[in-house]
Amino acid sequence: MDEKVKIIEIPKISDQRGNLSFISYGNPIPFDIKNVFYIYDIPGGTKRGGHAHKKLEQILIPLSGSFDVVVKDTKNESVIHLNRPNRGLYIGPLIWREMKNFSSGSVCLVVASLKYDEKDYLRDFAEFIRYIRK
Ligand code: T46
């Protein structure tokens, strides 16, 4: 999973007025951004995700609050806690992900390499495993 799941440090400009972070192509985003969306007003106890993408790459950024991301492939599973707006999680293609333990008021920004296309999703875990193995 090494290159397909990694923490991305997002530049942070700090002064007495606060912090400014930016996500530009090349620094730190390793792909052309084709879609940006955000998840918010998340009820306590919610789980989101529960799918993999065939081709899409993305970076999840906890703009506010915190949550856990469970990532899996056929061999490995790990849980990454995201809680800093200048630290995102890159997830490449063919990685199963689930998001859970959202803190109250959390907001997750996602930048993605492709426009939304339901055909890129593998939403059934058994299908995901079959797709990887074929
Ligand atoms: C992902 C995780 C981290 C759209 O209409 N346009 C969009 O750009 C997106 C991303 C979704 N949708 C629709 C598709 C569904 O009818 O919004 C609805 C909810 O999407 P979904 O159930 O896939 O939401 P999450 O939070 O489980 O997953 C989302 C992304 O879809 C997915 O790419 O990796 O965030």
Side-chain angles (χ1 to χ4, degrees), residues 35-39 47-53 56 58-60 67 69 91 95 97-99 102 108 110 112 114-118 120-121 123:
N35 195 19
V36 177
F37 57 95
Y38 39 100
I39 302 167
K47 290 183 177 172
R48 298 197 64 117
H51 60 253
H53 283 279
L56 180 136
Q58 63 183 192
I59 296 176
L60 278 58
F67 53 91
V69 187
I91 306 178
I95 296 289
R97 85 290 314 270
E98 185 175 282
M99 296 125 81
F102 291 94
C108 173
V110 183
L114 296 171
K115 286 187 184 168
Y116 169 67
D117 177 3
E118 192 56 40
D120 190 65
Y121 286 72
R123 291 192 185 267

Side-chain angles (χ1 to χ4, degrees), residues 29-97:
I29 309 297
F31 50 77
D32 238 340
I33 298 169
K34 296 280 173 48
N35 195 19
V36 177
F37 57 95
Y38 39 100
I39 302 167
Y40 57 103
D41 288 349
I42 305 158
T46 294
K47 290 183 177 172
R48 298 197 64 117
H51 60 253
H53 283 279
K54 294 174 187 166
K55 296 201 172 121
L56 180 136
E57 302 169 79
Q58 63 183 192
I59 296 176
L60 278 58
I61 302 165
L63 284 192
S64 180
S66 64
F67 53 91
D68 292 328
V69 187
V70 181
V71 285
K72 293 185 206 182
D73 62 14
T74 47
K75 296 190 189 111
N76 302 299
E77 171 168 344
S78 50
V79 182
I80 296 128
H81 184 64
L82 293 179
N83 62 355
R84 285 181 13 219
N86 65 322
R87 200 163 167 265
L89 181 67
Y90 170 87
I91 306 178
L94 298 181
I95 296 289
W96 190 264
R97 85 290 314 270

